[in-house]
PDB file of all heavy atoms in Angstrom:
ATOM      1  N   MET D  13     -59.243  40.753  -9.229  1.00 42.00           N
ATOM      2  CA  MET D  13     -59.298  39.304  -9.415  1.00 42.00           C
ATOM      3  C   MET D  13     -58.267  38.857 -10.450  1.00 42.00           C
ATOM      4  O   MET D  13     -57.586  37.848 -10.276  1.00 42.00           O
ATOM      5  CB  MET D  13     -60.713  38.908  -9.860  1.00 42.00           C
ATOM      6  CG  MET D  13     -60.893  37.401  -9.987  1.00 42.00           C
ATOM      7  SD  MET D  13     -60.805  36.507  -8.425  1.00 42.00           S
ATOM      8  CE  MET D  13     -62.349  37.049  -7.649  1.00 42.00           C
ATOM      9  N   LYS D  14     -58.160  39.587 -11.539  1.00 42.00           N
ATOM     10  CA  LYS D  14     -57.199  39.286 -12.589  1.00 42.00           C
ATOM     11  C   LYS D  14     -55.777  39.312 -12.044  1.00 42.00           C
ATOM     12  O   LYS D  14     -54.958  38.444 -12.336  1.00 42.00           O
ATOM     13  CB  LYS D  14     -57.355  40.290 -13.736  1.00 42.00           C
ATOM     14  CG  LYS D  14     -56.406  39.993 -14.906  1.00 42.00           C
ATOM     15  CD  LYS D  14     -56.643  41.001 -16.012  1.00 42.00           C
ATOM     16  CE  LYS D  14     -55.674  40.735 -17.155  1.00 42.00           C
ATOM     17  NZ  LYS D  14     -55.842  41.706 -18.239  1.00 42.00           N
ATOM     18  N   GLN D  15     -55.482  40.330 -11.207  1.00 44.00           N
ATOM     19  CA  GLN D  15     -54.152  40.449 -10.625  1.00 44.00           C
ATOM     20  C   GLN D  15     -53.855  39.262  -9.703  1.00 44.00           C
ATOM     21  O   GLN D  15     -52.734  38.776  -9.626  1.00 44.00           O
ATOM     22  CB  GLN D  15     -54.040  41.749  -9.840  1.00 44.00           C
ATOM     23  CG  GLN D  15     -54.020  42.988 -10.746  1.00 44.00           C
ATOM     24  CD  GLN D  15     -53.961  44.264  -9.908  1.00 44.00           C
ATOM     25  OE1 GLN D  15     -54.226  44.218  -8.703  1.00 44.00           O
ATOM     26  NE2 GLN D  15     -53.616  45.376 -10.548  1.00 44.00           N
ATOM     27  N   TYR D  16     -54.914  38.793  -8.995  1.00 39.00           N
ATOM     28  CA  TYR D  16     -54.740  37.670  -8.091  1.00 39.00           C
ATOM     29  C   TYR D  16     -54.317  36.410  -8.870  1.00 39.00           C
ATOM     30  O   TYR D  16     -53.389  35.711  -8.498  1.00 39.00           O
ATOM     31  CB  TYR D  16     -56.049  37.393  -7.347  1.00 39.00           C
ATOM     32  CG  TYR D  16     -56.028  36.088  -6.585  1.00 39.00           C
ATOM     33  CD1 TYR D  16     -55.383  35.994  -5.359  1.00 39.00           C
ATOM     34  CD2 TYR D  16     -56.632  34.947  -7.138  1.00 39.00           C
ATOM     35  CE1 TYR D  16     -55.338  34.792  -4.690  1.00 39.00           C
ATOM     36  CE2 TYR D  16     -56.593  33.750  -6.448  1.00 39.00           C
ATOM     37  CZ  TYR D  16     -55.955  33.676  -5.214  1.00 39.00           C
ATOM     38  OH  TYR D  16     -55.937  32.471  -4.544  1.00 39.00           O
ATOM     39  N   PHE D  17     -55.060  36.161  -9.976  1.00 38.00           N
ATOM     40  CA  PHE D  17     -54.732  34.971 -10.778  1.00 38.00           C
ATOM     41  C   PHE D  17     -53.354  35.084 -11.414  1.00 38.00           C
ATOM     42  O   PHE D  17     -52.620  34.107 -11.513  1.00 38.00           O
ATOM     43  CB  PHE D  17     -55.793  34.753 -11.866  1.00 38.00           C
ATOM     44  CG  PHE D  17     -57.050  34.111 -11.313  1.00 38.00           C
ATOM     45  CD1 PHE D  17     -58.250  34.797 -11.284  1.00 38.00           C
ATOM     46  CD2 PHE D  17     -56.998  32.810 -10.803  1.00 38.00           C
ATOM     47  CE1 PHE D  17     -59.387  34.196 -10.763  1.00 38.00           C
ATOM     48  CE2 PHE D  17     -58.138  32.223 -10.294  1.00 38.00           C
ATOM     49  CZ  PHE D  17     -59.357  32.917 -10.268  1.00 38.00           C
ATOM     50  N   GLU D  18     -53.011  36.320 -11.868  1.00 46.00           N
ATOM     51  CA  GLU D  18     -51.690  36.488 -12.457  1.00 46.00           C
ATOM     52  C   GLU D  18     -50.587  36.229 -11.436  1.00 46.00           C
ATOM     53  O   GLU D  18     -49.586  35.566 -11.709  1.00 46.00           O
ATOM     54  CB  GLU D  18     -51.542  37.905 -13.028  1.00 46.00           C
ATOM     55  CG  GLU D  18     -52.343  38.109 -14.317  1.00 46.00           C
ATOM     56  CD  GLU D  18     -52.222  39.539 -14.829  1.00 46.00           C
ATOM     57  OE1 GLU D  18     -51.662  40.368 -14.076  1.00 46.00           O
ATOM     58  OE2 GLU D  18     -52.644  39.799 -15.954  1.00 46.00           O
ATOM     59  N   GLY D  19     -50.786  36.724 -10.210  1.00 48.00           N
ATOM     60  CA  GLY D  19     -49.800  36.492  -9.136  1.00 48.00           C
ATOM     61  C   GLY D  19     -49.721  35.032  -8.778  1.00 48.00           C
ATOM     62  O   GLY D  19     -48.639  34.483  -8.547  1.00 48.00           O
ATOM     63  N   SER D  20     -50.897  34.381  -8.757  1.00 50.00           N
ATOM     64  CA  SER D  20     -50.916  32.957  -8.420  1.00 50.00           C
ATOM     65  C   SER D  20     -50.195  32.138  -9.479  1.00 50.00           C
ATOM     66  O   SER D  20     -49.453  31.205  -9.173  1.00 50.00           O
ATOM     67  CB  SER D  20     -52.366  32.479  -8.282  1.00 50.00           C
ATOM     68  OG  SER D  20     -52.411  31.105  -8.015  1.00 50.00           O
ATOM     69  N   ASN D  21     -50.388  32.448 -10.740  1.00 51.00           N
ATOM     70  CA  ASN D  21     -49.729  31.716 -11.832  1.00 51.00           C
ATOM     71  C   ASN D  21     -48.214  31.887 -11.781  1.00 51.00           C
ATOM     72  O   ASN D  21     -47.458  30.957 -12.057  1.00 51.00           O
ATOM     73  CB  ASN D  21     -50.244  32.208 -13.188  1.00 51.00           C
ATOM     74  CG  ASN D  21     -51.668  31.719 -13.429  1.00 51.00           C
ATOM     75  OD1 ASN D  21     -52.067  30.705 -12.855  1.00 51.00           O
ATOM     76  ND2 ASN D  21     -52.404  32.427 -14.268  1.00 51.00           N
ATOM     77  N   LYS D  22     -47.766  33.092 -11.431  1.00 49.00           N
ATOM     78  CA  LYS D  22     -46.327  33.326 -11.337  1.00 49.00           C
ATOM     79  C   LYS D  22     -45.712  32.485 -10.232  1.00 49.00           C
ATOM     80  O   LYS D  22     -44.644  31.913 -10.381  1.00 49.00           O
ATOM     81  CB  LYS D  22     -46.041  34.805 -11.077  1.00 49.00           C
ATOM     82  CG  LYS D  22     -46.279  35.699 -12.281  1.00 49.00           C
ATOM     83  CD  LYS D  22     -45.977  37.138 -11.956  1.00 49.00           C
ATOM     84  CE  LYS D  22     -46.204  38.053 -13.178  1.00 49.00           C
ATOM     85  NZ  LYS D  22     -45.911  39.465 -12.853  1.00 49.00           N
ATOM     86  N   LYS D  23     -46.429  32.390  -9.113  1.00 49.00           N
ATOM     87  CA  LYS D  23     -45.924  31.569  -7.999  1.00 49.00           C
ATOM     88  C   LYS D  23     -45.840  30.108  -8.406  1.00 49.00           C
ATOM     89  O   LYS D  23     -44.879  29.405  -8.090  1.00 49.00           O
ATOM     90  CB  LYS D  23     -46.842  31.709  -6.775  1.00 49.00           C
ATOM     91  CG  LYS D  23     -46.739  33.061  -6.101  1.00 49.00           C
ATOM     92  CD  LYS D  23     -47.681  33.135  -4.897  1.00 49.00           C
ATOM     93  CE  LYS D  23     -47.566  34.504  -4.207  1.00 49.00           C
ATOM     94  NZ  LYS D  23     -48.482  34.593  -3.034  1.00 49.00           N
ATOM     95  N   LYS D  24     -46.881  29.641  -9.134  1.00 51.00           N
ATOM     96  CA  LYS D  24     -46.877  28.246  -9.599  1.00 51.00           C
ATOM     97  C   LYS D  24     -45.712  27.994 -10.558  1.00 51.00           C
ATOM     98  O   LYS D  24     -45.066  26.944 -10.524  1.00 51.00           O
ATOM     99  CB  LYS D  24     -48.195  27.900 -10.291  1.00 51.00           C
ATOM    100  CG  LYS D  24     -49.369  27.787  -9.317  1.00 51.00           C
ATOM    101  CD  LYS D  24     -50.631  27.440 -10.059  1.00 51.00           C
ATOM    102  CE  LYS D  24     -51.829  27.309  -9.105  1.00 51.00           C
ATOM    103  NZ  LYS D  24     -53.073  26.994  -9.831  1.00 51.00           N
TER     104      LYS D  24
END
Side-chain angles (χ1 to χ4, degrees):
M13 184 67 70
K14 182 178 178 181
Q15 290 178 344
Y16 169 79
F17 281 114
E18 287 178 351
S20 178
N21 287 335
K22 287 180 180 180
K23 289 180 180 180
K24 288 180 180 179

